[in-house]
Amino acid sequence: MTRSEQPNGAHSAVVFDMDGVLVESEHLWERMWAKFAAARGKTWTVEQTRQVQGMSAPEWSAFLAKFAEATESAEATEKIVVDDMIAALEGGEIELLPGSARMVTEAAERAPIALASSAPRRLIDAVLERHGLIQHFSATVSSAEVPKGKPSPDVYLSAAEKLGQDPKRCLAVEDSSNGLRAAAAAGMTVVAIPNADYPPAEDALAGASYIASDLDDVRQRLVGSLPEPVGS
């Protein structure tokens, strides 16, 4: 069987990342981190963004506070940035990526699905509620709720556990280097949808079983690897 061949019903669940997979938000995180740093006289660049991508909120807020030489604690830093992200969501800046709603809906018709995100809990819930997707997810996990953020596999292993599924029977959909590494380390079959603005490293892509061109391609890959819907 080649990397691109997956028998129908070969997998029993799907775990999605959120930022860059369901919604277009990576650039907003970078904007908010840069805004926080600039207000304290520091210049945040794409290099810092690459360093923190995949980190949990406690991890990136500690990094940001130290980088900006902020007087605020890591916890206060996180609140400032996440408040800005919530405001962006409410202002219509965090929109669903084309094809993501159909991808989620069709996957959920065939198998239980979960979310394994580096975003903090209150943003995860707010995004899924705003876009009417929350009812499709059997479980959602923030990396702030596990010992280590991506590239550690913790958030993916927790998602599989909450679904009651063997990680080896789960498909994972990821866009970034550390997310791809995390899903692969969890033993999942990884479908990559490379982020055009922050291209994944070659070693991270090497752990994917399939590299998709767009979310419709991802959807077809998932549908072809999951059981047929009940009653079909």
Side-chain angles (χ1 to χ4, degrees):
M1 186 179 296
T2 68
R3 280 161 54 106
S4 62
E5 293 173 337
Q6 294 289 345
N8 189 270
H11 296 87
S12 57
V14 183
V15 184
F16 293 98
D17 177 36
M18 186 174 81
D19 295 305
V21 171
L22 301 186
V23 293
E24 186 65 70
S25 50
E26 298 281 16
H27 67 293
L28 292 173
W29 281 112
E30 184 170 51
R31 189 175 90 193
M32 303 317 179
W33 292 326
K35 175 185 173 183
F36 182 93
R40 290 150 186 84
K42 302 297 180 181
T43 302
W44 182 277
T45 70
V46 69
E47 178 55 35
Q48 281 75 51
T49 296
R50 289 195 182 99
Q51 289 182 64
V52 302
Q53 276 182 326
M55 286 185 180
S56 67
E59 291 168 337
W60 62 248
S61 60
F63 180 99
L64 175 58
K66 182 177 180 181
F67 175 83
E69 298 179 3
T71 57
E72 294 89 350
S73 65
E75 292 78 8
T77 298
E78 176 186 335
K79 184 179 186 307
I80 291 168
V81 172
V82 177
D83 283 349
D84 282 345
M85 289 295 289
I86 294 288
L89 173 67
E90 293 173 349
E93 290 191 81
I94 303 180
E95 294 301 304
L96 291 176
L97 285 162
S100 64
R102 184 182 179 189
M103 174 182 67
V104 165
T105 301
E106 292 194 11
E109 289 172 349
R110 291 164 171 77
I113 67 171
L115 193 75
S117 176
S118 297
R121 165 60 55 191
R122 66 186 178 111
L123 186 61
I124 290 172
D125 293 345
V127 167
L128 296 182
E129 285 280 7
R130 182 176 179 86
H131 293 300
L133 296 179
I134 199 163
Q135 71 272 17
H136 297 298
F137 287 88
S138 298
T140 59
V141 187
S142 166
S143 59
E145 298 164 352
V146 297
K148 292 182 179 179
K150 303 171 185 179
S152 293
D154 300 20
V155 69
Y156 276 99
L157 293 173
S158 178
E161 182 180 10
K162 287 179 181 294
L163 290 177
Q165 301 289 328
D166 181 345
K168 293 181 180 178
R169 293 267 292 159
C170 294
L171 290 150
V173 185
E174 268 287 358
D175 67 309
S176 66
S177 293
N178 282 339
L180 292 164
R181 293 176 182 125
M188 297 187 179
T189 298
V190 184
V191 178
I193 175 69
N195 191 305
D197 294 325
Y198 309 97
E202 286 302 316
D203 74 284
L205 283 174
S209 68
Y210 184 75
I211 300 174
S213 57
D214 56 29
L215 290 182
D216 191 57
D217 191 14
V218 173
R219 178 186 60 79
Q220 293 180 58
R221 183 62 38 179
L222 299 181
V223 167
S225 300
L226 295 168
E228 290 291 334
V230 176
S232 64

